[in-house]
Amino acid sequence: MESFPVINMENLNGEKRANTMDKIKDACENWGFFELVNHGIPPEFMDTIESMTKGHYKKCMEQRFGELVASKGLECVQTEVHDLDWESTFHLKHLPVSNISQIPDLDDDYRRVMKEFALKLEKLAEELMDLLCENLGLEKGYLKKAFYGSQGPNFGTKVSNYPPCPKPDLIKGLRAHTDAGGIILLFQDDKVSGLQLLKDGQWVDVPPMRHSIVVNLGDQIEVITNGKYKSILHRVVAQTDGNRMSIASFYNPGSDAVIYPAPALVESEAEEASKAVYPKFVFEDYMNLYAALKFQAKEPRFQAMKAMESSPSLGPIATA
């Protein structure tokens, strides 16, 4: 198996740019995942985020998770569990409106650094989208505009901890799924592994690397690229030792953004009927469907959206 793609973003400036763009293109076409180093977010800032996130879990969430495990009898299960995940999480919204001030139990310093982290990740996500546009032959800003809707993108963070699990063969940290949205930026634990992606029928570890950001592509990128880039099944395998931290930030289309394949990527009008297999839909409609079907195959979701395409709820769609 070829090695997991690692992209050094410093190499985008200078003579290694073309080679680095090729690496990003290959990662998008053949992996749906890649890992960024030298991405511009200071290592010492990431250390602060990690320390505060782990401290918050210990102080505010560890006991609650233990109580949940006990109440459901999860430590004693004898058969595989299919309806829940071995994870402790909370969610932050950044765009279009932040909810960080409303989340209970967060220290003021932690709120402040998570707001700052979100700004840095938003900038990185938009930089990445323009790199994807360049590789796809789309005009700069195409993906950002496609995601914009009337109020700008949805951007949020899922903060997760995966505590030691006594039965990792029976309970997944997080069951296999593709991500519904656009570009996902993950700051993951560099000591405790667990994230895996499905490549060529094999589960492959996403290697923990200190101060890296793991990027993966969601379902909306698959639709807009007309399948040139695909969202990839991934999961978290629970571990018997160590508590794994995961901070996943999702740069997604606005709720009312209309998503459809970029016309430039549908090769010709003659081929359009057979080639444009992906639907046109309002992102919020897709998310409503995804909420119920997250852990099922994505193809029926696309088919369901295609069946809704003639729905009057879409109204007139501006393609300019």
Side-chain angles (χ1 to χ4, degrees), residues 56-74:
H56 176 263
Y57 173 75
K58 274 270 180 217
K59 180 182 167 189
C60 302
M61 301 184 75
E62 188 171 43
Q63 184 179 341
R64 264 181 263 163
F65 185 75
E67 289 166 359
L68 175 72
V69 167
S71 72
K72 293 187 177 290
L74 294 178

Side-chain angles (χ1 to χ4, degrees), residues 37 42 52-53 70 72 78 135-136 161 172 179-180 183 203 219 224 227 243 259 272 288 290 310 318:
V37 295
M52 287 186 166
T53 299
K72 293 187 177 290
Q78 301 298 317
N135 272 337
L136 288 161
N161 281 270
K172 290 284 178 289
D179 288 326
I183 298 259
W203 286 106
D219 294 348
I224 293 170
N243 181 50
I259 303 300
E272 196 156 342
N288 290 338
Y290 180 85
S310 57

Side-chain angles (χ1 to χ4, degrees), residues 240-271:
T240 52
D241 297 308
N243 181 50
R244 177 179 176 268
M245 177 200 78
S246 161
I247 304 174
S249 296
F250 300 81
Y251 189 103
N252 290 347
S255 298
D256 64 352
V258 178
I259 303 300
Y260 55 92
L265 299 179
V266 179
E267 287 179 353
S268 72
E269 282 185 36
E271 288 180 64

Side-chain angles (χ1 to χ4, degrees), residues 22-233:
D22 282 346
K23 283 184 176 179
I24 294 171
K25 181 173 183 282
D26 180 73
C28 290
E29 288 181 352
N30 297 307
W31 289 80
F33 270 78
F34 50 95
E35 204 148 0
L36 299 177
V37 295
N38 297 318
H39 41 65
I41 301 176
E44 59 276 10
F45 181 73
M46 297 182 80
D47 289 341
T48 299
I49 295 279
E50 181 173 359
S51 166
M52 287 186 166
T53 299
K54 290 182 173 178
H56 176 263
Y57 173 75
K58 274 270 180 217
K59 180 182 167 189
C60 302
M61 301 184 75
E62 188 171 43
Q63 184 179 341
R64 264 181 263 163
F65 185 75
E67 289 166 359
L68 175 72
V69 167
S71 72
K72 293 187 177 290
L74 294 178
E75 289 178 322
C76 310
V77 294
Q78 301 298 317
T79 56
E80 191 167 353
V81 176
H82 295 287
D83 59 351
L84 54 81
D85 304 300
W86 189 270
E87 63 173 358
S88 170
T89 67
F90 65 94
H91 295 81
L92 303 173
K93 287 182 183 171
H94 312 301
L95 294 174
V97 179
S98 171
N99 73 345
I100 291 184
S101 61
Q102 282 95 55
I103 303 293
D105 304 328
L106 300 186
D107 293 342
D108 287 344
D109 282 350
Y110 189 34
R111 288 182 212 274
R112 178 181 54 77
V113 299
M114 289 304 278
K115 271 188 179 178
E116 193 179 337
F117 192 36
L119 287 171
K120 293 178 188 298
L121 289 170
E122 180 190 347
K123 183 180 168 201
L124 181 58
E126 291 178 353
E127 185 182 345
L128 283 168
M129 290 207 299
D130 276 343
L131 294 173
L132 266 57
C133 285
E134 188 177 333
N135 272 337
L136 288 161
L138 298 172
E139 64 180 299
K140 186 175 181 178
Y142 183 93
L143 286 171
K144 184 177 179 181
K145 194 159 76 172
F147 277 33
Y148 202 82
S150 64
Q151 299 180 63
N154 281 300
F155 186 45
T157 298
K158 177 186 175 189
V159 181
S160 307
N161 281 270
Y162 297 92
C165 177
K167 301 280 182 77
D169 52 328
L170 298 178
I171 309 175
K172 290 284 178 289
L174 181 59
R175 288 160 287 166
H177 64 286
T178 65
D179 288 326
I183 298 259
I184 299 87
L185 302 142
L186 169 68
F187 175 24
Q188 68 165 345
D189 206 293
D190 64 297
K191 297 176 185 66
V192 183
S193 62
L195 179 62
Q196 296 182 329
L197 63 93
L198 191 66
K199 179 166 169 57
D200 303 327
Q202 304 278 319
W203 286 106
V204 178
D205 289 327
V206 176
M209 282 176 63
R210 192 158 168 75
H211 300 138
S212 73
I213 296 285
V214 176
V215 177
N216 71 284
L217 308 178
D219 294 348
Q220 308 311 303
I221 296 291
E222 179 166 339
V223 173
I224 293 170
T225 66
N226 205 35
K228 193 171 177 67
Y229 297 167
K230 292 199 164 53
S231 59
I232 298 297
L233 270 179

Side-chain angles (χ1 to χ4, degrees), residues 297-314:
K298 64 187 171 185
E299 289 78 11
R301 299 197 293 264
F302 293 151
Q303 287 161 10
M305 288 291 103
K306 209 160 181 62
M308 286 172 62
E309 257 185 276
S310 57
S311 163
S313 69
L314 277 176

